[in-house]
Amino acid sequence: MSEDLVAGMINRMKAGKRDLASTSTRTDTINRTSNGATEVAANAAGNALADAVANGADKGAGTHTDGVTGDGVAVTGAATGPGQILQWNFFIGGHLSASVPVRLVERTTAGQLLWMETGTPMWRTALPRGTTHLRDIAPHERPAEGYPVVPDRWPMGNALFYQPTGAAHSVLWLFGRRQKFRGWYVNLERRLHHGDDIDIADHELDLNVAPDRTWRWKDEQSFAEKTGHPAYWTAEEAVAIRSEGDAVARLAEAGTFPFDGSWCDFRPPSAWTTPPRPPNPRHSLL
């Protein structure tokens, strides 16, 4: 997988991380599964999602129902059908970096799949002149109300997101020109759901996984630098975050879902149009 592709993709996203949840809540969120349970759950998730998509991904609009989101969060009246437009909101240190509309591919009890299309109208943080990434601005130097946002378009390639239920990570299938599969990207994160909004509290440390399933850590130095800062995570939480990444890396080494070759040839239904830019993001602070 191209290092420039991944670095550019994530660095553009990481223009907005202060996690205001309590320490006990965050630690519980990122310290959930044992190694064996992770692999069993991954296999079950792959089968469940494959069956669900085979039974409904091309059937058009979904129905509205009272239910549970991909992370086990109750939602009333949420549309659950393929093609539903959701808002993927990416936060760094509690500040919004980007807000991008995505389409729901499928949602099951195992997790949900989302499709992000290149060129999608979006919102991004308007940073001070001369600043490239919000991640590099110390939290105490940011405006208390958050930075304003400006309209833009998703600049990188197409991506399919898998967000497993109850896990502190998502896995992206990255696609280049002509929908060529370029590899996977593992984003370590905490997710919050508010109706159609999916708020991502980024955990900085990530993994690149090549098509041959070799992998490497990304952003280890900046992860270490942020550890212990009150706007980010404690040393104890950092251990749990890294353990989450280790568990996902073992899935890649074993060739277990989502690294089993499934979804690498995914094509969205031809009826899906590019989602329009949504109204201003619901909030600029998490």
Side-chain angles (χ1 to χ4, degrees), residues 70-121:
D71 281 345
V73 180
V75 172
T76 301
T80 59
Q84 175 196 1
I85 297 176
L86 306 171
Q87 309 307 323
W88 181 86
N89 307 311
F90 195 80
F91 291 83
I92 293 181
H95 286 243
L96 182 68
S97 165
S99 179
V100 189
V102 296
R103 285 194 183 272
L104 178 67
V105 176
E106 192 50 74
R107 178 182 293 147
T108 72
T109 56
Q112 64 182 16
L113 285 162
L114 307 173
W115 177 249
M116 184 180 288
E117 180 182 330
T118 184
T120 295

Side-chain angles (χ1 to χ4, degrees), residues 118-129:
T118 184
T120 295
M122 57 170 281
W123 297 99
R124 65 170 176 81
T125 299
L127 297 176
R129 184 182 297 275

Side-chain angles (χ1 to χ4, degrees), residues 52-227:
V53 171
N55 291 330
D58 296 319
K59 293 182 180 179
T63 58
H64 289 257
T65 182
D66 290 349
V68 176
T69 70
D71 281 345
V73 180
V75 172
T76 301
T80 59
Q84 175 196 1
I85 297 176
L86 306 171
Q87 309 307 323
W88 181 86
N89 307 311
F90 195 80
F91 291 83
I92 293 181
H95 286 243
L96 182 68
S97 165
S99 179
V100 189
V102 296
R103 285 194 183 272
L104 178 67
V105 176
E106 192 50 74
R107 178 182 293 147
T108 72
T109 56
Q112 64 182 16
L113 285 162
L114 307 173
W115 177 249
M116 184 180 288
E117 180 182 330
T118 184
T120 295
M122 57 170 281
W123 297 99
R124 65 170 176 81
T125 299
L127 297 176
R129 184 182 297 275
T131 303
T132 304
H133 307 301
L134 182 56
R135 63 189 291 194
D136 299 326
I137 302 176
H140 69 274
E141 296 178 355
R142 304 174 187 174
E145 69 280 8
Y147 287 102
V149 295
V150 294
D152 203 345
R153 289 181 177 270
W154 179 243
M156 309 309 295
N158 297 328
L160 180 69
F161 287 62
Y162 174 52
Q163 298 178 333
T165 301
H169 71 272
S170 61
V171 178
L172 286 66
W173 286 255
L174 303 179
F175 298 94
R177 293 182 178 179
R178 300 180 182 179
Q179 198 62 7
K180 181 180 179 181
F181 175 63
R182 302 294 298 273
W184 297 271
Y185 191 93
V186 180
N187 199 70
L188 302 177
E189 63 192 30
R190 183 176 66 92
R191 289 188 296 278
L192 299 172
H193 292 253
H194 304 276
D196 291 344
D197 283 273
I198 307 170
D199 293 341
I200 308 296
D202 184 56
H203 284 159
E204 189 70 17
L205 184 65
D206 300 315
L207 294 90
N208 287 327
V209 183
D212 64 1
R213 295 192 293 274
T214 57
W215 63 274
R216 60 181 177 82
W217 292 107
K218 181 179 179 294
D219 295 331
E220 287 185 281
Q221 181 176 344
S222 55
F223 174 69
E225 292 170 351
K226 290 176 172 59
T227 297

